[in-house]
Amino acid sequence: MMLVEQTTVPGTAIPVAQFKDHLRLGTGFADDGVQDQVLETYLRAAMAAIEARTGKILLSRAFTWTLTAWRDLASQALPVGPVSQILSLEIHDRLGGTETIDPARYALEQDMHRPRLVSTGLCLSAIPVGGQAVIGFEAGFGAAWSDLPADLGQAVMLLAASYYENRADAGGAMGQGELSSAISALLQRYRTVRLFGGGGAA
């Protein structure tokens, strides 16, 4: 299974100005644009870390997910959430042939933790031996920072601030170590609980 991000979050959607305000509360950060690119980097790193911990995509973008077999013939849990729409479903055979599946044959079952691709008939389109299914979908809470739940937005700010404040400390490298208890508490309700050995999740 392989998840590939097809589009990226534009810089205009990254809340650099809000992050500056957040930093000024504790650090007296100078109000200029010299470090805007650096601050954006810390915000993007914090977003990526939180997405990896929770399986939730924060700002909307398109993905493709490639897999070689369905876990359930009638439905397939998707690897991240929330998913707003299924963009495409293709079946590839081992010789390079591609069949684009009619959207009338499948639908999205929305769920915060386990959105699913479901068949509108008896079964999803068969994946041939040696072949693959490629699902295109859009995931995220929305295109704008204001679309994020407040607790997730606050978790990003806290983690990005931690990266910024510990930038000279080798032990505070981005993406390393445990999250603080405050950030973990903010993320708790977004963590996906895997049941039955993960059989119900992607």
Side-chain angles (χ1 to χ4, degrees), residues 134-160:
V134 180
I135 306 167
F137 61 90
E138 184 176 284
F141 288 95
W145 188 256
S146 57
D147 295 325
L148 272 185
D151 46 3
L152 282 179
Q154 180 67 7
V156 172
M157 292 292 175
L158 290 173
L159 185 55

Side-chain angles (χ1 to χ4, degrees), residues 12-30:
T12 53
I14 304 298
V16 173
Q18 290 175 243
F19 188 36
K20 284 183 179 181
D21 291 339
H22 180 85
L23 289 174
R24 276 200 297 269
L25 294 176
T27 66
F29 181 75

Side-chain angles (χ1 to χ4, degrees), residues 7-123:
T7 57
T8 58
V9 176
T12 53
I14 304 298
V16 173
Q18 290 175 243
F19 188 36
K20 284 183 179 181
D21 291 339
H22 180 85
L23 289 174
R24 276 200 297 269
L25 294 176
T27 66
F29 181 75
D31 189 14
D32 58 47
V34 174
Q35 294 197 58
D36 282 5
Q37 189 60 52
V38 174
L39 298 181
E40 181 179 326
T41 298
Y42 288 127
L43 284 166
R44 288 184 182 275
M47 289 171 57
I50 286 171
E51 288 179 345
R53 295 286 183 120
T54 63
K56 305 298 179 291
I57 302 302
L58 303 184
L59 294 178
S60 296
R61 50 205 193 272
F63 296 83
T64 56
W65 189 42
T66 302
L67 62 164
T68 56
W70 304 122
R71 287 203 174 195
D72 182 325
L73 294 179
S75 67
Q76 174 64 52
L78 297 171
V80 294
V83 173
S84 57
Q85 61 177 324
I86 302 293
L87 301 174
S88 62
L89 173 59
E90 296 178 345
I91 303 296
H92 298 243
D93 64 34
R94 61 186 178 85
L95 300 178
T98 300
E99 178 187 5
T100 300
I101 306 303
D102 184 344
R105 295 172 58 185
Y106 58 85
L108 169 65
E109 183 178 281
Q110 293 185 325
D111 184 88
M112 173 65 72
H113 297 295
R114 292 186 181 85
R116 296 194 304 160
L117 173 74
V118 298
S119 172
T120 55
L122 293 177
C123 298

Side-chain angles (χ1 to χ4, degrees), residues 165-178:
E165 291 163 358
N166 294 285
R167 61 195 179 280
D169 179 2
M174 290 188 293
Q176 302 296 318
E178 293 298 316

